Amino acid sequence: MPRLNRILRPDAVKTLDEYLAMGGGEGLKLASDMDPLEIIAMIEASGLRGRGGAGFPTGTKWRTVAEMSTDRPVSVVVNGAEGEPGTFKDRTLLDNDPFQVIEGALITARAVGATDVVIAVKEQFDEQIARLRPAIAAFEAYGLEDVELRVVTGPSSYLYGEESALLEVVEGRPPLPRVTPPYRRGLADGADVRNEASEVALAGETSGAGSTAVVNNVETMANVTYILTHGVDEFRSVGTDATPGTAICTISGAVPHHGVAEFAMGTPFWNVLDELGGGAVDDHTVIGAISGTANAVLTADRFDTGLCFDAFADTGSGLGSAGFIVLDDHTDLAATAHGVARFLAIESCGQCQPCKDDGGAIADRLDVIRKSDRTAPADIDNELESLFGTVADGARCGLASQHQSAVASLYALACTATGSHLSGELAPAGLELIAPIVDIIDGVAQVDGRHLDKQRDWSTDGEDSTTAPVDLL
Ligand SMILES: Cc1cc2nc3c(=O)[nH]c(=O)nc-3n(C[C@H](O)[C@H](O)[C@H](O)COP(=O)(O)O)c2cc1C
Ligand code: SF4
């Protein structure tokens, strides 16, 4: 199936006038004439699932927030913190057309009764901030009623994208995840005291006067605009029953061409690999792909799996944010497993001791293995298995379990490959840097080299203090 240009437009939209001339703004106009519950019903009927990684049904999230928020302020927070290795689609979308993302956020605000819309991005996303700020100003000049729109910038941490940590950052605090229910207490309206939102209360609980927040990914917001503008049937005209619509995929790793493109959900993965990545590198054989650092490897024998949250989950992998890092027969899988474990061990905040300590121990053992260190303990495999079993114990957020999905599956694949590091059959492998993409230039993803300096205590200027970030912040 060919690539599509449904929400990822063929050419960047430069001004609001240009956007309006192409039919932009129609979705918001329609939403303004609808009852909020009708908008929510429309999004439910569309079957839209969040594109931030978990595939949570957007309409269900909105209905819960709306029902729980009749007596409290609501905020809409657009998650543009994109920091998962392998993923570059939200920044591409914001560069390409920030207007449809803002329009989607305004439609969401209308649906859930919010008067505050925050678009949260990383402070280093200069190009996207330079697109968003004038776009917001243009929307404001166009005339918005009672909606405050603002861009909030935050740190480069992976955890900033985790939605409860995102709310913490918007509140001016470090990116430390709260507890993990899907519906959140929201923002504290500028108070400098610790918001009850940061405690364990869920939006669904009736006690307290805190605000609620609906957090949605950038691509989810663009899809909301598409649905209101073109209708449910048109939205569902591509995709699968379980995951209607399109996915904006990123491809990097062992392919000739790295890039971002939009495909119908249901498109077999091999089609994305060929069409966007250009297939295998000459004389190499592709053996698998991993969606970011959050899911198990999709092995090549399952490449006929269509883009779909359920179909990917059925293979034991996950679609995540459709940011695929491709592996081939020249990839050192133990080094890749170490690269992912290293990334997660550094990015862990340490609020949950097994995540920081066992995650660090996993990274350390894989480091020994990829270096073909013959002094490695004989039972290192058993140690790893035990650490994979405990690393997510009591975890507050999804980062810890990424060791169990992504790292464990990469290591299992390494163990089935011909030759091993510990037997001396494989030469020591260099460090495989797994870190966020900062740009894609001429078909080559540029990975954030600054991550090489980042320590597990989140310092960047020397030795790790061995104190967890949460204790330093
Ligand atoms: C460690 C971690 C990092 C995450 N990073 C992002 C991110 O950069 N962008 C994003 O939209 N969601 C990210 N998520 C998922 C969010 O927590 C949340 O599910 C999402 O923003 C909800 O939006 P959606 O329903 O539109 O997908 C992350 C989750 C975890 C556990
Ligand atoms: S699971 Fe890890 S990253 Fe998430 S809150 Fe706990 S320690 Fe922090």
Side-chain angles (χ1 to χ4, degrees):
M1 284 189 225
R3 53 184 91 188
L4 300 178
N5 287 113
R6 210 186 220 205
I7 54 175
L8 193 58
R9 304 187 190 276
D11 299 303
V13 183
K14 295 199 179 59
T15 62
L16 182 61
D17 284 346
E18 206 182 301
Y19 180 68
L20 298 175
M22 346 175 8
E26 292 299 323
L28 183 56
K29 247 187 243 159
L30 180 67
S32 307
D33 292 335
M34 288 167 76
D35 183 82
L37 289 177
E38 271 184 88
I39 307 172
I40 294 176
M42 192 170 174
I43 294 299
E44 284 171 334
S46 75
L48 176 64
R49 295 172 69 168
R51 301 299 199 250
F56 193 83
T58 306
T60 307
K61 186 186 284 191
W62 290 10
R63 184 174 292 282
T64 309
V65 169
E67 283 173 357
M68 299 304 171
S69 309
T70 48
D71 60 346
R72 63 185 78 219
V74 190
S75 309
V76 171
V77 181
V78 181
N79 190 341
E82 191 168 61
E84 174 123 311
T87 305
F88 198 63
K89 48 110 182 169
D90 292 337
R91 279 163 286 173
T92 304
L93 203 45
L94 288 172
D95 284 342
N96 177 257
D97 182 359
F99 303 101
Q100 63 179 335
V101 176
I102 297 168
E103 184 176 347
L106 293 171
I107 293 167
T108 310
R110 163 96 188 132
V112 300
T115 53
D116 179 28
V117 172
V118 173
I119 304 182
V121 293
K122 294 205 157 104
E123 57 212 4
Q124 83 255 27
F125 292 178
D126 296 334
E127 287 169 34
Q128 292 72 34
I129 295 167
R131 290 285 277 144
L132 276 168
R133 289 217 160 109
I136 287 174
F139 259 101
E140 280 168 348
Y142 178 64
L144 299 175
E145 286 167 43
D146 301 331
V147 181
E148 191 197 343
L149 264 167
R150 59 197 163 113
V151 175
V152 169
T153 61
S156 60
S157 318
Y158 179 36
L159 280 177
Y160 176 29
E162 194 280 334
E163 66 178 73
S164 65
L166 187 93
L167 296 179
E168 288 291 288
V169 171
V170 174
E171 293 279 66
R173 294 189 288 268
L176 300 177
R178 305 172 183 171
V179 287
T180 54
Y183 312 108
R184 308 287 179 195
R185 291 286 189 188
L187 307 179
D189 217 10
D192 60 2
V193 291
R194 191 167 173 83
N195 182 9
E196 72 171 61
S198 58
E199 307 303 340
V200 296
L202 316 191
E205 293 173 355
T206 49
S207 61
S211 64
T212 45
V214 60
V215 181
N216 275 127
N217 171 260
V218 161
E219 186 184 345
T220 312
M221 292 287 91
N223 276 297
V224 164
T225 301
Y226 188 89
I227 292 162
L228 267 289
T229 308
H230 299 277
V232 166
D233 291 346
E234 178 60 24
F235 176 73
R236 295 192 77 115
S237 66
V238 301
T240 64
D241 279 351
T243 316
T246 63
I248 303 186
C249 300
T250 312
I251 206 155
S252 65
V255 283
H257 182 269
H258 300 166
V260 177
E262 184 174 13
F263 291 88
M265 288 287 186
T267 303
F269 177 71
W270 63 259
N271 220 160
V272 177
L273 177 80
D274 286 349
E275 167 75 22
L276 178 56
V281 174
D282 280 350
D283 303 326
H284 291 205
T285 304
V286 172
I287 59 168
I290 187 159
S291 170
T293 54
N295 295 288
V297 177
L298 183 77
T299 48
D301 57 322
R302 310 303 296 269
F303 276 8
D304 57 349
T305 305
L307 301 173
C308 169
F309 288 106
D310 290 8
F312 264 64
D314 287 346
T315 69
S317 178
L319 182 61
S321 55
F324 301 104
I325 303 171
V326 179
L327 318 162
D328 71 15
D329 56 347
H330 288 56
T331 307
D332 189 301
L333 293 166
T336 306
H338 168 253
V340 176
R342 175 189 169 276
F343 174 75
L344 297 174
I346 289 171
E347 294 302 320
S348 167
C349 67
Q351 290 186 97
C352 323
Q353 185 254 338
C355 171
K356 196 68 180 173
D357 292 353
D358 295 357
I362 290 169
D364 291 342
R365 279 157 184 75
L366 289 169
D367 197 30
V368 166
I369 293 173
R370 63 111 185 157
K371 287 175 175 158
S372 302
D373 184 341
R374 303 294 290 277
T375 63
D379 64 345
I380 196 163
D381 275 341
N382 292 336
E383 285 184 349
L384 274 170
E385 200 181 318
S386 160
L387 290 163
F388 286 135
T390 54
V391 64
D393 286 354
R396 222 171 225 237
C397 85
L399 185 145
S401 61
Q402 299 186 17
H403 283 282
Q404 297 174 322
S405 47
V407 181
S409 87
L410 279 162
Y411 188 61
L413 199 59
C415 293
T416 63
T418 319
S420 91
H421 282 281
L422 292 180
S423 64
E425 293 157 304
L426 292 182
L431 187 132
E432 186 68 37
L433 178 62
I434 301 288
I437 295 175
V438 289
D439 205 351
I440 301 182
I441 302 173
D442 296 332
V444 182
Q446 315 293 313
V447 172
D448 191 354
R450 290 170 310 165
H451 206 270
L452 288 169
D453 296 328
K454 189 164 179 182
Q455 307 295 328
R456 289 183 195 168
D457 64 0
W458 292 1
S459 66
T460 53
D461 53 0
E463 290 290 298
D464 180 30
S465 66
T466 73
T467 304
V470 64
D471 296 323
L472 292 172
L473 291 167

